[in-house]
């Protein structure tokens, strides 16, 4: 009986950080926008603090509405880049539009890696 209680307690302790991460991290563009708009410490959302720009974040927090959120993916395939627009805020992504990126934009996004 004590082993069962110990195993259950251990599972609960291990699962708390997992559930916390799942519940607090944005999973799509709409949740990201809501998190960014409501965050008191938006710098903590960035993987690299040097890429945090307070002016841009402040502009987003004040000027953007959730109706303006769009979700894009850039796919690199066979020496070409494609911009794929998908539905934001849905559990299953649906493609709205696909366009091939011009060479200048492709080179710009490749230089960010």
């Amino acid at each position: 009986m004590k082993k069962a209680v110990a195993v259950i307690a251990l599972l609960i302790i291990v699962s708390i950080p997992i559930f916390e991460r799942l519940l607090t991290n944005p999973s799509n563009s709409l949740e990201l926008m809501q998190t960014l708009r409501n965050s008191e410490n938006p710098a903590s959302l960035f993987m690299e603090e040097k890429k945090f720009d307070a002016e841009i974040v402040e502009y987003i927090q004040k000027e953007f509405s959730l109706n303006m959120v769009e979700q894009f993916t850039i796919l690199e395939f066979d020496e070409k880049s494609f911009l794929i627009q998908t539905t934001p805020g849905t559990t299953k992504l649906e493609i709205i539009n696909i366009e091939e990126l011009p060479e200048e934009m492709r080179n710009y996004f490749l230089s960010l890696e």
Side-chain angles (χ1 to χ4, degrees):
M1 181 69 176
K2 288 184 180 181
K3 284 186 178 181
V5 172
V7 169
I8 291 172
L10 182 63
L11 287 174
I12 290 172
I13 291 171
V14 169
S15 65
I16 287 174
I18 295 170
F19 284 121
E20 188 268 337
R21 182 164 174 84
L22 289 173
L23 295 175
T24 59
N25 285 352
S27 61
N28 59 50
S29 297
L30 288 176
E31 287 181 16
L32 175 63
M33 182 63 153
Q34 289 172 335
T35 303
L36 192 57
R37 289 189 71 181
N38 299 327
S39 177
E40 293 183 16
N41 183 16
S44 66
L45 300 173
F46 287 76
M47 287 180 67
E48 299 176 25
E49 294 234 358
K50 64 182 179 182
K51 293 191 177 189
F52 173 72
D53 187 337
E55 287 182 24
I56 293 174
V57 172
E58 184 177 326
Y59 176 77
I60 289 171
Q61 288 177 331
K62 290 181 180 178
E63 302 295 328
F64 274 54
S65 78
L66 295 177
N67 295 331
M68 299 170 69
V69 175
E70 295 185 9
Q71 185 165 298
F72 295 94
T73 301
I74 297 176
L75 177 67
E76 176 74 19
F77 180 74
D78 195 30
E79 300 297 320
K80 294 182 181 182
S81 295
F82 299 93
L83 183 69
I84 303 170
Q85 182 180 7
T86 57
T87 53
T90 57
T91 55
K92 181 179 179 188
L93 295 178
E94 295 179 17
I95 295 174
I96 296 173
N97 193 15
I98 298 176
E99 290 188 26
E100 184 177 345
L101 287 178
E103 192 67 29
E104 302 82 34
M105 291 182 73
R106 178 179 182 275
N107 291 338
Y108 171 77
F109 285 114
L110 288 175
S111 69
L112 295 176
E113 294 178 3

